[in-house]
Amino acid sequence: MTSDHTTTWLFGRLDLSSLPIWQAIQSPAISELIAGAAAMIVIAGAIAVIAFITWLRAWRSLWTDWLTSTDHKRIGIMYCVLALVMMTRGVIEAVLMRAQQADGLSGGFLTPEHFAELFSTHGTIMIFFVAMPLVAGVINYIMPLQIGARDMSFPVMNQISLGLTATGAVLVMSSLVFGKFSTGSWAAYPPYTGLAFNPGPGPDYWIWSVAIAGIGTTLSGINFAVTIYKERAPGMTLFRMPLFCWTVLCTSIIMIFAMPPLTVATLMLAADRYLDFHFFTNDLGGNMMNYVNLFWLFGHPEVYLLVLPAYGIISEVVATFSGKRLYGYTSLVYATMAIAVLSFCVWLHHFFTMGQSANVNIAFGIASMCIAVPTGVKVYDWMATMYRGRIRMTVPMIYVTGFFILFVIGGLTGVILANPTITYQVHNTLFLVAHFHNVIIPGVVFGLLAGIHYWFPKAFGFRLHEGWGRVSALLWIFGFSFAFLPLYVVGLMGMPRRSANFNDPAFEPLMLAALFGAALVLSALAALVIQIWVSVRDRDKLAAPLGDPWNGRTLEWATPSPPPHYNFAVLPQVKDRDDFAAAKANGRAFADTANYGDITMPKNTALGMIICAAATLLGMALVWYIWWLAMLSVLTIVVAFVARTFMLDTTYTIPADEISREHRAWLARVRAASPITRDRETDDVNQGLAVLELPETLKASR
Amino acid sequence: MGYNKAKQFSVLLLTAVILAGCSEQRSSFLDPAGPIAAAQRAHLIEVVGWTMIAVVPVFILVPVMLWRYRYRNTKARYTPDWGYSGWLELVMWGVPFMIVAVLSTKLWFSTKALDPYKPIASDAAPLNVQVVGLDWKWLFIYPDLGIATVNQLAFPAGAPVSLNLTSDTVMQSFMVDALAGQVYAMPGMRTKLHLLADAAGVFKGENVQFSGVGFTEQKFDAVAMTPEAFSEWVARVKSDGVPLDAQTYELLGASSTGAQVYEAIGTNGMPAGVIYFNQVAPDLFKKVIGRYHGGEPVLPANQPGAAGYVWQPLFNGSSK
Ligand code: HEM
Ligand SMILES: [Cu+2]
Ligand SMILES: [Cu+2]
């Protein structure tokens, strides 16, 4: 593939034949045309976005309010936007793959190489550039508010984390326009991804996008953990934290310890590919098994990194929409910590079939199964939270219901896969694909979507449209079920994963069902986009600026929506778990104080964007062997960092009277508004102020 | 018998070829054809059964809770501050713990019993086969018989088969679902797998670890035969086969499917897509593993499956 490429000092190994568009013109077969069209879409999309921003005259605002902002709330929103854009690509690729396999009996319409590129980009994108940024985004927005902090401990580092994640995403997107992405799957096992077997730029795209984004995630983990340890409001002891914050703490610890093995593995693979090292090559003492261990030493904790915050969100959502205190808080905390610790002890279950002794498999099999205990406890705790509650079936609760029913199936198949004897049969089949989608989609994705619907009014001051939200949620639930439950059957029947085609006619009907499901998921995504569109259009009707649209229980609801840059006019004095619920019950909520003070906040900085741009160029330069550009970009990064250390004026102060003015204006609006009961929370009247509905008052009114 | 065995054998092969992929070729451990796969299926059913103790209550209780405690049902009790019950806590931790304890015990014993490295106890002597994964075909060497095949694993039914596996390209995973499941085949390393078929039959075998564009073509028939049919088959391989020498092996190493190799060196005596070898260089398997341990670089030109492998241009449409 690369033998006909020549290397020039200016463009490295990049030339005309590396462009899919050029190849589509040269040999217009279906696969080439799809690749060419994808490249055109990326280019056209980029042009459209630029034109749209220009038309809105929003460049200045984009730069000063968003890209250079160090506000954890804005950074959180940018993470979510990035994730949703990437999710669109990931889902479209998924539908393409499903279409190919639905037609797989007759060979399909894509070349096997194109199919391989699709599952590699889909997997890489969905994990690193959809799930991770969505998790990071929600954490960024919510966690500081929940613990009563003004910002992250390291706001600039936070911005750099976002920049590095974006770099990875841009690199993956660039591979549509320049060259081709890896065909080596999201796990990129050598020696297949080594230089001998794949000399082209594909594996290099994978390496640099994942390595660079991974560094961003490590930094995020440090930031989240330090923020939780250091920035909690007075009185917010660890055991008063909302459960979501506990899950964030465990997730950030996982980030700190699980990302380095990935970074190391990718850099070692890079050393093999660029510097003639032999860590994982077949010859000269290399051994690919070391890569497999390092990768899953990251890979298994990774899935818990993703799902723990989702558990946190579910805990918040179930408690709020059941109008009840969370059942078994302490149990849930210990269950979360147990899962976080166990998640580092089970990586070997991803390769029970590598030939190690039965005793090793037994140890790791039992360890894997143990995770089922705390996970089961969690599910039962949430059910006990609903017990004797007053449950409202809002959009987040629909997602959570979908989670309960479907995630349990994923848990069941997880327990099945923990058994080495069964894994010998179903490993590497579509059974496994069904399993991990079954935990990732109902678990992580539904959890995050529930969280997004739950917290959207906090972030934007208006609720998301309820009707379209229901449509989307139901489409997700049924789409998932059709798309993946049949795959369990096909997997048990023995169809290998990553198959571009097959020759057993028995697979075909199930593959067609899966395609139907994927189409439903695509419409779910479309409904989500429509929902956002409709909500923005009707934002005045949906407005809930007073801040508490769901009768919330935790601190983030004690602020106006959207909250001011500094979050809290006066740092809250926390006296209780579920402090805001307690405050509302005993009349402490919405109190005015006399002691407003000046607030110092971090200034905007362009550092994150400079690093993002330079790291993107560095990635491209390394992929294409453009050495001068690589050196220039590294130099830019170093200079930017050093220059930043000379900047002493990095904060600004908001005077106390401005704060008191803003805060009192909000309090006045709260006092003037009429609170509503929960049966009207999805109506236009919901301004974000809740009536207290306690058992005593209910009895009295009956 | 009224008709000769060779004819019977070709009928069998023919059906195998025609019905490849249809239900006649058994391709799932849910339809086990040997003790290992049967035990694996039994274990699956047991695990599902035990886990149901924790799963079924969720399916029942979630709808019940949602309905019973819906907001508009003012008759249901409402206890917003209830958040702990010692008994409930004990059940919630205790029940899953007990289930996992039971399942762990079962896991322990079944993993020991079904260890792929453990020879299968049997009165019959085991048949040794050495398996080399190549880009996109399997080479089966019968060291004790001095023969080898590409993409056909024949063996007598009722006798254990002892497989030693390696790969001479990227990592692959060898699997015969109906008999024993899978184990990785890795370059420079040797793994083991034991299997046994209860009765004669044709079973799907394949590579299940993605290994490049020809990956889905890397399938073969595992054919269990009566002992007599097996001797016939060995005789036939010896008579109709070609020698497996260094040159032929280099050709096998190129990235190509079994069908492509058959086009190059197959003869009429061999079933479509299958190659018979009647002479095998001694210690070939050992050499395949050993070549990576010589302390010398294995350059892409000498690395089967690599992008620069010299034999590659022989086959069109098979570049990585
Ligand atoms: C939205 C609906 C989705 C559909 C229809 C879908 C479909 C698919 C398909 C068809 C494959 C290839 C299966 C094969 O190997 O034969 C795949 C692989 C994969 N998917 Fe998804 N997927 C979806 C969402 C997700 C999400 C949300 C994630 C993670 C956040 C995800 C992560 C992965 C990963 C990691 C792989 C493995 C890629 C590899 O083998 O290297 N998918 N998916
Ligand atoms: Cu795992
Ligand atoms: Cu799992």
Side-chain angles (χ1 to χ4, degrees):
Chain A
M1 190 174 96
T2 45
S3 46
D4 50 342
H5 283 237
T6 47
T7 308
T8 58
W9 73 267
L10 186 59
F11 291 115
R13 55 172 164 169
L14 181 65
D15 62 21
L16 218 51
S17 66
S18 338
L19 305 181
I21 295 180
W22 179 253
Q23 288 187 353
I25 296 168
Q26 298 281 301
S27 61
I30 293 185
S31 257
E32 277 75 15
L33 286 177
I34 291 179
M40 297 293 276
I41 291 173
V42 173
I43 297 173
I47 294 176
V49 169
I50 292 173
F52 187 63
I53 296 171
T54 313
W55 179 73
L56 287 176
R57 296 169 192 263
W59 283 108
R60 176 174 296 276
S61 149
L62 182 68
W63 182 254
T64 54
D65 294 345
W66 295 94
L67 297 180
T68 57
S69 171
T70 48
D71 182 347
H72 70 95
K73 298 184 287 302
R74 292 182 183 254
I75 289 177
I77 291 170
M78 286 189 279
Y79 265 117
C80 292
V81 170
L82 175 73
L84 291 177
V85 170
M86 297 305 283
M87 186 194 265
T88 312
R89 174 170 169 197
V91 170
I92 290 174
E93 286 177 333
V95 174
L96 261 179
M97 282 191 286
R98 282 269 131 269
Q100 162 79 9
Q101 282 188 338
D103 188 26
L105 192 57
S106 48
F109 54 95
L110 297 172
T111 60
E113 188 183 9
H114 197 163
F115 184 79
E117 219 184 308
L118 282 175
F119 65 68
S120 305
T121 44
H122 166 82
T124 307
I125 285 178
M126 284 297 198
I127 299 285
F128 294 104
F129 304 113
V130 175
M132 294 281 265
L134 218 47
V135 164
V138 173
I139 294 178
N140 248 301
Y141 200 99
I142 298 305
M143 182 268 285
L145 284 167
Q146 281 199 334
I147 59 172
R150 299 211 186 282
D151 206 327
M152 289 289 175
S153 284
F154 310 112
V156 178
M157 187 162 95
N158 201 16
Q159 193 196 49
I160 293 172
S161 293
L162 170 69
L164 293 178
T165 307
T167 296
V170 171
L171 284 177
V172 180
M173 293 309 269
S174 310
S175 73
L176 279 179
V177 182
F178 305 101
K180 284 183 172 158
F181 199 75
S182 175
T183 53
S185 94
W186 86 285
Y189 278 11
Y192 182 85
T193 47
L195 199 60
F197 293 94
N198 268 298
D204 300 318
Y205 265 124
W206 182 87
I207 289 174
W208 299 116
S209 56
V210 167
I212 294 173
I215 293 171
T217 308
T218 315
L219 298 180
S220 289
I222 295 170
N223 217 339
F224 298 157
V226 175
T227 304
I228 289 182
Y229 287 133
K230 295 298 218 188
E231 306 289 330
R232 277 169 290 131
M236 177 65 84
T237 58
L238 284 174
F239 272 85
R240 281 185 187 158
M241 289 201 306
L243 204 88
F244 177 69
C245 294
W246 269 109
T247 60
V248 172
L249 180 58
C250 291
T251 277
S252 37
I253 292 171
I254 296 180
M255 284 178 175
I256 296 168
F257 289 100
M259 298 312 291
L262 175 71
T263 310
V264 167
T266 50
L267 292 182
M268 285 164 86
L269 189 58
D272 276 6
R273 289 181 61 88
Y274 286 80
L275 302 171
D276 198 23
F277 276 56
H278 292 270
F279 288 120
F280 311 127
T281 57
N282 287 354
D283 59 346
L284 295 176
N287 195 318
M288 44 85 52
M289 295 198 297
N290 293 330
Y291 177 92
V292 176
N293 274 285
L294 279 173
F295 184 82
W296 289 112
L297 201 51
F298 143 80
H300 188 86
E302 160 77 12
V303 297
Y304 284 94
L305 182 172
L306 296 176
V307 89
L308 287 181
Y311 291 165
I313 293 170
I314 289 161
S315 307
E316 306 290 308
V317 165
V318 169
T320 303
F321 290 105
S322 302
K324 240 183 112 216
R325 174 189 286 270
L326 187 63
Y327 174 86
Y329 175 92
T330 323
S331 254
L332 282 165
V333 169
Y334 286 117
T336 308
M337 290 200 280
I339 292 175
V341 172
L342 279 174
S343 77
F344 283 95
C345 311
V346 301
W347 77 91
L348 190 130
H349 66 206
H350 294 271
F351 45 94
F352 278 145
T353 52
M354 206 153 75
Q356 58 277 20
S357 85
N359 290 332
V360 175
N361 279 355
I362 290 170
F364 280 87
I366 292 177
S368 309
M369 222 177 254
C370 288
I371 296 192
V373 176
T375 311
V377 169
K378 281 181 170 241
V379 173
Y380 280 95
D381 276 340
W382 293 319
M383 291 200 295
T385 304
M386 298 198 289
Y387 175 67
R388 289 186 184 162
R390 300 191 72 203
I391 304 168
R392 292 105 64 190
M393 268 317 236
T394 51
V395 175
M397 274 308 275
I398 297 178
Y399 277 113
V400 170
T401 306
F403 163 87
F404 282 142
I405 302 294
L406 294 171
F407 190 78
V408 170
I409 302 176
L412 163 69
T413 56
V415 171
I416 292 175
L417 283 164
N419 286 271
T421 21
I422 307 175
T423 297
Y424 287 133
Q425 284 286 354
V426 295
H427 179 49
N428 268 330
T429 70
L430 285 183
F431 186 92
L432 181 78
V433 172
H435 161 69
F436 69 71
H437 284 89
N438 198 165
V439 285
I440 289 180
I441 295 178
V444 180
V445 177
F446 287 7
L448 288 164
L449 285 172
I452 286 176
H453 283 81
Y454 179 55
W455 282 309
F456 187 92
K458 177 51 54 194
F460 294 97
F462 57 96
R463 287 174 292 115
L464 281 170
H465 190 271
E466 191 73 10
W468 279 106
R470 288 189 186 154
V471 171
S472 182
L474 291 174
L475 282 171
W476 268 108
I477 291 171
F478 285 103
F480 166 80
S481 307
F482 276 103
F484 290 101
L485 300 184
L487 298 194
Y488 281 124
V489 182
V490 193
L492 289 173
M493 287 161 70
M495 178 166 168
R497 69 189 291 197
R498 302 173 182 155
S499 294
N501 48 52
F502 52 87
N503 51 25
D504 189 339
F507 299 161
E508 192 166 49
L510 293 157
M511 284 301 171
L512 288 171
L515 173 61
F516 173 66
L520 288 187
V521 170
L522 190 65
S523 15
L525 196 64
L528 192 71
V529 172
I530 297 175
Q531 183 198 19
I532 294 173
W533 171 261
V534 169
S535 313
V536 172
R537 192 192 61 197
D538 298 348
R539 59 187 175 277
D540 293 338
K541 272 200 275 177
L542 294 168
L546 303 182
D548 181 23
W550 315 122
N551 197 7
R553 311 181 61 80
T554 40
L555 278 184
E556 76 273 29
W557 304 109
T559 60
S561 294
H565 182 184
Y566 45 82
N567 292 351
F568 298 93
V570 179
L571 282 185
Q573 294 286 334
V574 179
K575 300 198 173 58
D576 235 315
R577 191 180 294 162
D578 285 2
D579 191 66
F580 188 49
K584 284 189 284 191
N586 61 26
R588 277 198 279 126
F590 305 111
D592 198 358
T593 52
N595 40 6
Y596 293 99
D598 293 350
I599 297 177
T600 304
M601 296 300 294
K603 269 190 181 166
N604 280 9
T605 166
L607 187 64
M609 280 302 109
I610 294 172
I611 301 237
C612 176
T616 305
L617 288 178
L618 174 63
M620 286 304 269
L622 289 171
V623 167
W624 293 106
Y625 297 175
I626 311 173
W627 307 122
W628 64 267
L629 185 59
M631 285 186 281
L632 193 67
S633 345
V634 171
L635 195 70
T636 312
I637 293 175
V638 173
V639 169
F641 267 117
V642 174
R644 168 78 192 178
T645 62
F646 283 93
M647 277 196 219
L648 300 177
D649 177 26
T650 57
T651 58
Y652 72 104
T653 301
I654 310 167
D657 46 305
E658 185 184 327
I659 290 160
S660 72
R661 192 159 13 87
E662 273 182 24
H663 191 60
R664 285 186 170 137
W666 172 62
L667 287 178
R669 287 171 68 193
V670 170
R671 302 251 147 75
S674 49
I676 56 144
T677 51
R678 288 304 97 199
D679 48 342
R680 306 182 72 196
E681 73 187 335
T682 55
D683 293 350
D684 296 348
V685 291
N686 186 354
Q687 293 288 305
L689 190 62
V691 170
L692 269 187
E693 293 174 69
L694 303 173
E696 306 85 72
T697 51
L698 286 176
K699 270 204 199 95
S701 74
R702 213 185 298 150
Chain B
M1 281 202 213
Y3 46 89
N4 72 46
K5 299 257 166 63
K7 196 162 158 201
Q8 186 188 1
F9 175 66
S10 3
V11 170
L12 187 68
L13 265 190
L14 203 73
T15 24
V17 172
I18 293 173
L19 296 178
C22 301
S23 46
E24 256 74 3
Q25 187 212 37
R26 297 162 75 177
S27 57
S28 166
F29 76 117
L30 297 185
D31 170 26
I36 307 269
Q40 285 165 327
R41 184 179 71 169
H43 191 65
L44 170 70
I45 294 168
E46 267 186 72
V47 171
V48 172
W50 279 96
T51 315
M52 281 302 149
I53 300 175
V55 167
V56 170
V58 177
F59 288 145
I60 297 171
L61 287 176
V62 166
V64 168
M65 296 288 173
L66 288 177
W67 179 248
R68 168 93 186 129
Y69 298 106
R70 67 194 184 279
Y71 181 78
R72 287 176 199 284
N73 182 8
T74 44
K75 289 197 207 81
R77 252 184 91 184
Y78 178 44
T79 56
D81 288 324
W82 177 72
Y84 180 80
S85 147
W87 280 109
L88 206 53
E89 213 69 356
L90 195 68
V91 174
M92 282 178 180
W93 283 93
V95 173
F97 181 82
M98 295 307 290
I99 299 175
V100 165
V102 171
L103 287 178
S104 298
T105 319
K106 291 183 175 296
L107 181 150
W108 185 305
F109 287 112
S110 85
T111 306
K112 282 267 189 219
L114 301 181
D115 181 5
Y117 277 45
K118 204 178 91 179
I120 300 173
S122 161
D123 298 337
L127 173 72
N128 288 315
V129 181
Q130 296 165 332
V131 184
V132 182
L134 290 163
D135 266 0
W136 303 300
K137 60 193 94 63
W138 291 102
L139 173 64
F140 299 106
I141 306 169
Y142 294 73
D144 307 329
L145 302 174
I147 58 169
T149 70
V150 167
N151 283 358
Q152 189 180 54
L153 174 62
F155 52 93
V161 183
S162 162
L163 300 167
N164 280 283
L165 303 99
T166 191
S167 160
D168 204 6
T169 169
V170 299
M171 178 177 116
Q172 305 190 338
S173 192
F174 174 94
M175 157 126 121
V176 185
D177 317 53
L179 297 179
Q182 69 191 292
V183 73
Y184 290 162
M186 294 171 288
M189 290 171 257
R190 188 189 54 153
T191 47
K192 291 189 192 180
L193 183 68
H194 290 85
L195 49 85
L196 189 151
D198 292 329
V202 181
F203 316 106
K204 181 194 68 181
E206 62 192 331
N207 168 22
V208 287
Q209 171 72 44
F210 178 78
S211 61
V213 298
F215 155 67
T216 55
E217 308 294 317
Q218 195 173 346
K219 302 202 190 315
F220 64 93
D221 283 340
V223 190
M225 308 170 169
T226 60
E228 305 81 60
F230 181 67
S231 328
E232 292 275 348
W233 179 81
V234 173
R236 177 158 175 169
V237 172
K238 285 191 171 150
S239 67
D240 289 354
V242 294
L244 176 55
D245 48 24
Q247 266 239 309
T248 334
Y249 186 78
E250 268 186 68
L251 175 110
L252 292 183
S255 298
S256 60
T257 63
Q260 285 168 325
V261 175
Y262 182 77
E263 248 170 62
I265 58 169
T267 66
N268 289 335
M270 308 171 188
V274 172
I275 308 288
Y276 289 156
F277 296 112
N278 57 11
Q279 267 176 44
V280 184
D283 289 343
L284 176 61
F285 186 76
K286 234 173 150 178
K287 280 186 195 145
V288 168
I289 294 180
R291 64 188 292 171
Y292 298 112
H293 300 290
E296 294 288 316
V298 179
L299 299 173
N302 307 321
Q303 168 67 64
Y309 189 61
V310 283
W311 275 85
Q312 197 175 14
L314 255 187
F315 303 97
N316 42 22
S318 60
S319 73
K320 261 211 174 122

